[in-house]
Amino acid sequence: MTSRKLLNDCFLTDKDRLSHEECLTILTGRLSAVAAIEELPLVETSGRWLAADIVAPRNVPLHDNSAVDGYAFQAPATGPIPVVVRIAAGDLGTYRLEPGQAARIFTGAPMPEGADTVAMQEDCTVNDDGDHVSVPLDLKRGANARRAGEDVAEGSAVLQESARLRPQDMAALASFGLPKVKVRAPVRVAILSNGDELLEPGAEISQGQVYDSNRAMLHALLGTLPCEITDLGILPDDASLIEATLAKTAQIHDVILTSGGASRGDEDHIINTIDRLGTRHLWQIAVKPGRPMSFGQIGDCVFLGLPGNPVAAFVCFLLYVRPALTVLGGGAYHDPVRFPVAAGFDVPRKKEGRREFWRGWLEPGPDGRPVAHKFARDGSGLISGLRQATGLIEITESVTSVAKGELVSFLPFTGFGIDS
């Protein structure tokens, strides 16, 4: 089962230069879910996008039960109470206490009728025969008793369609007794590099050649989302081969993702092929790094062309490709978490009208509060800056300088699914 098709020309814009927010609005507003819906065993759904709302089919816990090992009774107690029954977890019997009676009970065992409170065994005194117990006389009614539906009530909304399943969500679904869940299939993404100058790591390198570093990085970034990756490797500068490859790839994938080759030169065969087979738009985004990006489609296959410099490709993946893949996969996009922190640096001049994302990390300041530090060099080809950083420092369009101590927004990489 698949969703509706993509809008025709979904990336079309009448502006030559887009702001960061305008770019996100187009990506999250015009794209739609294309990933198929499948029903899988619960244990196979971690990290998937839900394809249907989840409503609690029963109370959790199903019945009133004891939160501790001890003695169940009806509060308040007035003295030693006769112990008339023993109830363990998993006991399927039905028990009723009369006023002034107690039950020996264990954690998770169902509360007997007539009891509303449990005294912890270490707070109780039992006679030598074990048939009478003295409980704390001041114990609050309802203490140590878990009520049916206390965690989740039957019929309550638990998870909405498009939520991403986390381990704690899977625990909740298991507690309802759900063996299978409807989720979205992984987005089918083909990644490729193009250029006669590119080499696979491990190959012998000569003057004028470079190793393809972006593709390995994109593999890892795609791994933070529910994606099925097809690696097409490095395609040589052969127009007919590239056209045949992209035409075939577009028929069986949801997304084609590339980096570099955003110009209009005679050897930019990827870009020229997209123009021949489908529709492509080159966006000039008012951000740094990563101004030029290509977006387009071949039928219902989305084309996403990242900048070639690794820092720009990394940042633009987080800011734009990740939201696009989320929506295409049937997920709900949420803005990344931002923390206001003090700047531990000075930037005397910053261009107005452009949003910038600097590589940075946090360290405790003199008062123990976190302070943002910025990688000293801004070059988009410096992978060392990405490696040192644990997040991005976001500087909005209206800001023209930053002084030490001023508040800046810090976006940790963990908010994008990347361990720091």
Coordinates of all heavy atoms in Angstrom, one line a residue, residues 72-110:
A72 N -1.5 -6.5 52.1 CA -2.6 -5.6 51.6 C -3.8 -5.7 52.7 O -4.1 -6.7 53.3 CB -3.1 -6.2 50.3
F73 N -4.4 -4.5 52.8 CA -5.5 -4.4 53.8 C -6.3 -3.2 53.5 O -6.0 -2.4 52.6 CB -4.9 -4.3 55.2 CG -4.1 -3.1 55.5 CD1 -4.6 -2.0 56.1 CD2 -2.8 -3.0 55.1 CE1 -3.9 -0.8 56.3 CE2 -2.0 -1.9 55.3 CZ -2.5 -0.8 55.9
Q74 N -7.4 -3.0 54.2 CA -8.2 -1.8 54.1 C -7.8 -0.8 55.2 O -7.9 -1.1 56.4 CB -9.7 -2.1 54.2 CG -10.6 -0.9 53.9 CD -12.1 -1.3 53.9 OE1 -12.7 -1.2 55.0 NE2 -12.6 -1.8 52.8
A75 N -7.3 0.4 54.8 CA -6.9 1.4 55.7 C -8.1 2.1 56.3 O -9.2 2.2 55.6 CB -5.9 2.4 55.1
P76 N -8.1 2.6 57.6 CA -6.9 2.5 58.4 C -6.9 1.3 59.3 O -7.9 0.7 59.5 CB -7.0 3.8 59.3 CG -8.5 3.9 59.5 CD -9.1 3.5 58.1
A77 N -5.7 0.8 59.7 CA -5.6 -0.4 60.5 C -5.6 0.1 62.0 O -5.1 1.2 62.3 CB -4.3 -1.1 60.2
T78 N -6.1 -0.8 62.9 CA -6.2 -0.4 64.3 C -5.4 -1.3 65.2 O -5.3 -1.1 66.4 CB -7.7 -0.5 64.7 OG1 -8.2 -1.8 64.5 CG2 -8.5 0.5 64.0
G79 N -4.8 -2.3 64.7 CA -4.0 -3.2 65.5 C -3.5 -4.4 64.7 O -3.6 -4.4 63.5
P80 N -3.1 -5.5 65.3 CA -2.7 -6.7 64.6 C -3.9 -7.2 63.7 O -5.0 -7.3 64.2 CB -2.3 -7.7 65.7 CG -1.9 -6.8 66.8 CD -2.8 -5.6 66.8
I81 N -3.6 -7.6 62.5 CA -4.6 -8.0 61.5 C -4.4 -9.5 61.2 O -3.2 -9.9 60.9 CB -4.6 -7.2 60.3 CG1 -4.5 -5.7 60.6 CG2 -5.8 -7.4 59.4 CD1 -4.3 -4.8 59.4
P82 N -5.4 -10.3 61.1 CA -5.2 -11.7 60.7 C -4.9 -11.8 59.2 O -5.5 -11.1 58.4 CB -6.5 -12.3 61.0 CG -7.5 -11.2 61.1 CD -6.8 -10.0 61.6
V83 N -3.9 -12.6 58.9 CA -3.5 -12.8 57.5 C -4.2 -14.0 57.0 O -4.0 -15.1 57.5 CB -1.9 -13.0 57.4 CG1 -1.6 -13.2 55.9 CG2 -1.2 -11.8 57.9
V84 N -5.1 -13.8 56.0 CA -6.0 -14.9 55.6 C -5.7 -15.5 54.3 O -6.3 -16.6 53.9 CB -7.5 -14.4 55.6 CG1 -7.9 -13.9 57.0 CG2 -7.7 -13.3 54.6
V85 N -4.8 -14.9 53.5 CA -4.5 -15.4 52.1 C -3.1 -14.9 51.7 O -2.6 -13.9 52.2 CB -5.6 -15.0 51.1 CG1 -5.5 -13.5 50.8 CG2 -5.5 -15.8 49.8
R86 N -2.6 -15.7 50.8 CA -1.3 -15.3 50.2 C -1.5 -15.2 48.7 O -2.0 -16.1 48.0 CB -0.2 -16.4 50.5 CG 1.2 -16.2 49.9 CD 2.0 -17.4 50.3 NE 3.4 -17.1 49.9 CZ 4.0 -17.3 48.7 NH1 3.2 -17.7 47.7 NH2 5.2 -17.1 48.5
I87 N -1.1 -14.0 48.1 CA -1.3 -13.7 46.7 C 0.0 -13.4 46.0 O 0.7 -12.4 46.4 CB -2.3 -12.6 46.5 CG1 -3.6 -12.8 47.3 CG2 -2.7 -12.5 45.0 CD1 -4.5 -11.6 47.3
A88 N 0.5 -14.1 45.0 CA 1.7 -13.9 44.3 C 1.4 -13.3 42.9 O 0.3 -13.4 42.4 CB 2.5 -15.2 44.2
A89 N 2.4 -12.7 42.3 CA 2.2 -12.2 41.0 C 1.9 -13.4 40.0 O 2.5 -14.5 40.1 CB 3.5 -11.6 40.5
G90 N 0.9 -13.2 39.2 CA 0.5 -14.2 38.3 C -0.7 -15.1 38.8 O -1.2 -15.9 38.1
D91 N -1.0 -14.9 40.1 CA -2.1 -15.6 40.7 C -3.4 -15.2 40.0 O -3.8 -14.0 40.0 CB -2.1 -15.3 42.2 CG -3.0 -16.3 43.0 OD1 -4.1 -16.8 42.4 OD2 -2.7 -16.6 44.1
L92 N -4.1 -16.2 39.5 CA -5.4 -15.9 38.8 C -6.6 -16.0 39.6 O -7.8 -15.9 39.1 CB -5.5 -16.8 37.5 CG -4.3 -16.7 36.5 CD1 -4.6 -17.7 35.4 CD2 -4.2 -15.3 36.0
G93 N -6.5 -16.3 40.9 CA -7.6 -16.5 41.8 C -8.3 -15.2 42.1 O -7.8 -14.1 41.8
T94 N -9.5 -15.3 42.6 CA -10.3 -14.1 43.0 C -10.4 -14.1 44.5 O -10.9 -15.1 45.1 CB -11.7 -14.1 42.4 OG1 -11.6 -14.1 41.0 CG2 -12.5 -12.9 42.8
Y95 N -10.0 -13.0 45.2 CA -10.0 -13.0 46.6 C -10.7 -11.8 47.1 O -10.6 -10.7 46.5 CB -8.5 -13.0 47.1 CG -7.7 -14.2 46.6 CD1 -6.8 -14.0 45.5 CD2 -7.8 -15.4 47.2 CE1 -6.1 -15.1 45.0 CE2 -7.0 -16.5 46.7 CZ -6.2 -16.3 45.6 OH -5.5 -17.4 45.1
R96 N -11.3 -11.9 48.3 CA -11.9 -10.8 48.9 C -11.6 -10.8 50.4 O -11.6 -11.8 51.1 CB -13.5 -10.9 48.8 CG -14.2 -9.7 49.5 CD -15.7 -9.7 49.2 NE -16.3 -8.6 49.9 CZ -16.3 -7.4 49.4 NH1 -15.8 -7.1 48.3 NH2 -16.9 -6.4 50.1
L97 N -11.2 -9.6 50.9 CA -10.9 -9.4 52.3 C -12.1 -8.8 53.0 O -12.7 -7.8 52.4 CB -9.7 -8.6 52.5 CG -8.4 -9.1 51.9 CD1 -7.2 -8.1 52.3 CD2 -8.0 -10.5 52.4
E98 N -12.4 -9.2 54.2 CA -13.4 -8.5 55.0 C -12.6 -7.4 55.8 O -11.4 -7.5 55.9 CB -14.0 -9.5 56.0 CG -14.8 -10.6 55.3 CD -15.9 -10.1 54.5 OE1 -16.5 -9.1 54.8 OE2 -16.3 -10.8 53.5
P99 N -13.3 -6.4 56.2 CA -12.7 -5.4 57.0 C -11.9 -6.0 58.2 O -12.4 -6.9 58.9 CB -13.8 -4.5 57.5 CG -14.9 -4.7 56.5 CD -14.8 -6.1 56.0
G100 N -10.7 -5.6 58.4 CA -9.9 -6.1 59.5 C -9.1 -7.3 59.1 O -8.5 -8.0 60.0
Q101 N -9.1 -7.7 57.8 CA -8.2 -8.8 57.4 C -7.1 -8.3 56.5 O -7.2 -7.2 55.9 CB -9.1 -9.8 56.6 CG -10.1 -10.6 57.4 CD -10.9 -11.6 56.6 OE1 -11.1 -11.4 55.4 NE2 -11.4 -12.6 57.3
A102 N -6.1 -9.1 56.3 CA -4.9 -8.8 55.5 C -4.6 -9.9 54.6 O -4.9 -11.1 54.9 CB -3.7 -8.4 56.4
A103 N -3.9 -9.6 53.5 CA -3.4 -10.6 52.6 C -1.9 -10.4 52.4 O -1.4 -9.3 52.3 CB -4.0 -10.5 51.2
R104 N -1.1 -11.5 52.5 CA 0.3 -11.5 52.2 C 0.4 -11.3 50.7 O -0.2 -12.2 49.9 CB 1.0 -12.8 52.6 CG 2.5 -12.9 52.3 CD 3.3 -11.9 53.1 NE 4.7 -12.2 53.0 CZ 5.6 -11.4 52.5 NH1 5.2 -10.2 52.0 NH2 6.9 -11.7 52.5
I105 N 1.1 -10.3 50.2 CA 1.0 -10.0 48.8 C 2.4 -9.7 48.3 O 3.3 -9.2 49.0 CB 0.0 -8.8 48.5 CG1 -0.4 -8.8 47.0 CG2 0.6 -7.5 49.0 CD1 -1.6 -7.9 46.8
F106 N 2.6 -9.9 47.0 CA 3.9 -9.7 46.4 C 3.8 -8.7 45.2 O 2.7 -8.5 44.6 CB 4.6 -11.0 46.0 CG 4.8 -11.9 47.1 CD1 3.8 -12.8 47.5 CD2 6.0 -11.9 47.8 CE1 4.0 -13.7 48.6 CE2 6.2 -12.7 48.9 CZ 5.2 -13.6 49.3
T107 N 4.9 -8.1 44.9 CA 4.9 -7.1 43.8 C 4.3 -7.6 42.5 O 4.7 -8.6 42.0 CB 6.4 -6.6 43.5 OG1 7.0 -6.2 44.7 CG2 6.4 -5.5 42.5
G108 N 3.4 -6.8 42.0 CA 2.7 -7.1 40.8 C 1.5 -8.0 41.0 O 0.7 -8.2 40.0
A109 N 1.2 -8.6 42.2 CA 0.1 -9.4 42.4 C -1.2 -8.6 42.4 O -1.2 -7.4 42.9 CB 0.2 -10.2 43.7
P110 N -2.3 -9.1 42.0 CA -3.6 -8.4 42.0 C -4.1 -8.1 43.4 O -4.0 -9.0 44.3 CB -4.5 -9.3 41.2 CG -4.0 -10.7 41.3 CD -2.5 -10.5 41.4

